[in-house]
Amino acid sequence: MSAPETNLERQKKRHIGPLGGMLLAVAFAAILFGVFYILATDGEEAGNGVQAPATSTETSAGSDTAN
């Protein structure tokens, strides 16, 4: 079964608006994603968000001072 109307020039004209709208929507989403990424990382390098707790080298077991 073939298409009933195959006027390609008319179809091009009819599709420019919706395709342009989709392009603008994708560009807007990309800009929002970039802004969200910048705000979420807050200028920090990746991998610096979690730090290990500091370990103490002093022990309190040997601190008996009986004279």
Side-chain angles (χ1 to χ4, degrees), residues 11-37:
Q11 289 178 3
K12 284 181 186 179
K13 288 179 185 177
R14 289 182 179 176
H15 286 88
I16 286 177
L19 288 174
M22 286 184 250
L23 180 65
L24 287 175
V26 169
F28 182 70
I31 290 170
L32 283 180
F33 178 75
V35 168
F36 177 74
Y37 180 76

Side-chain angles (χ1 to χ4, degrees), residues 1-61:
M1 181 176 251
S2 63
E5 196 174 317
T6 57
N7 188 349
L8 295 179
E9 292 304 316
R10 188 184 314 163
Q11 289 178 3
K12 284 181 186 179
K13 288 179 185 177
R14 289 182 179 176
H15 286 88
I16 286 177
L19 288 174
M22 286 184 250
L23 180 65
L24 287 175
V26 169
F28 182 70
I31 290 170
L32 283 180
F33 178 75
V35 168
F36 177 74
Y37 180 76
I38 290 169
L39 292 176
T41 57
D42 199 24
E44 296 177 3
E45 291 183 17
N48 287 340
V50 178
Q51 295 180 354
T55 58
S56 177
T57 57
E58 297 178 27
T59 58
S60 60

